[in-house]
Amino acid sequence: VINQADKFRFNRAYLVNVGFQESSSSCDYIGIHDVDLLPMNPDLLYLYPSAGALHLSPPGLHPLYSYPTFTGGILLISRKHYQELDGMSNKYWGWGLEDDEFFVRMRQANMVIEKPKGIRTGRKGTFRHVHSSKERQRDNAKCY
């Protein structure tokens, strides 16, 4: 688990890339998981994403975001595929856009992005979102 503890500008992609570098090469895949998004449905399975990526919090299940190209929240991807994409771009400071840019690169690489099947709890019952914008003001500042 990698989490920024200071109050400096936030760069989520940088943290994910550090987590990937620090993880053991014996790990088959990594989970890019927002720490403030808690799964409530026990049927959500963190399975090995063999065909590409597995987006566990797609539109229709994520409590906040519903645009069709959204791939944030929780994304599982094999080490091999993450390396093929050269990780995430570090150019986005503040909250947002790093996962949108990662989606574009996955599509350009013709990578499959799977979604959970059979989850019927929808946007209100699948996850609990515990982010506090007041407590973490730095996350709202856009610096790209």
Side-chain angles (χ1 to χ4, degrees):
V1 174
I2 301 291
N3 189 27
Q4 183 171 335
D6 60 35
K7 297 198 185 288
F8 294 116
R9 287 182 176 165
F10 183 66
N11 187 319
R12 180 175 177 262
Y14 186 83
L15 294 172
V16 171
N17 289 331
V18 166
F20 177 80
Q21 292 297 321
E22 292 296 317
S23 66
S24 170
S25 60
S26 66
C27 295
D28 296 332
Y29 65 99
I30 63 166
I32 303 169
H33 199 304
D34 287 358
V35 297
D36 59 3
L37 191 62
L38 308 175
M40 296 188 322
N41 186 323
D43 295 329
L44 280 172
L45 303 176
Y46 287 63
L47 300 173
Y48 177 74
S50 59
L54 173 58
H55 188 210
L56 288 178
S57 56
L61 296 181
H62 193 283
L64 297 179
Y65 303 110
S66 60
Y67 58 95
T69 59
F70 173 72
T71 54
I74 306 169
L75 183 74
L76 308 179
I77 187 167
S78 72
R79 291 185 68 81
K80 174 184 174 251
H81 288 122
Y82 194 79
Q83 286 173 317
E84 286 175 2
L85 295 169
D86 198 25
M88 297 184 84
S89 173
N90 292 329
K91 71 180 178 181
Y92 299 100
W93 292 87
W95 200 253
L97 296 181
E98 76 287 334
D99 44 15
D100 296 324
E101 192 263 355
F102 198 59
F103 168 81
V104 169
R105 290 193 292 123
M106 286 189 286
R107 283 290 182 219
Q108 289 172 339
N110 295 316
M111 190 173 294
V112 173
I113 304 171
E114 296 180 291
K115 298 174 183 169
K117 295 175 180 63
I119 304 295
R120 300 195 190 333
T121 44
R123 295 182 73 179
K124 292 186 180 182
T126 307
F127 297 99
R128 181 170 172 230
H129 190 250
V130 294
H131 186 82
S132 170
S133 316
K134 292 178 183 171
E135 185 178 315
R136 298 184 54 174
Q137 290 291 322
R138 66 144 199 256
D139 295 351
N140 297 319
K142 302 253 187 247
C143 308
Y144 45 85

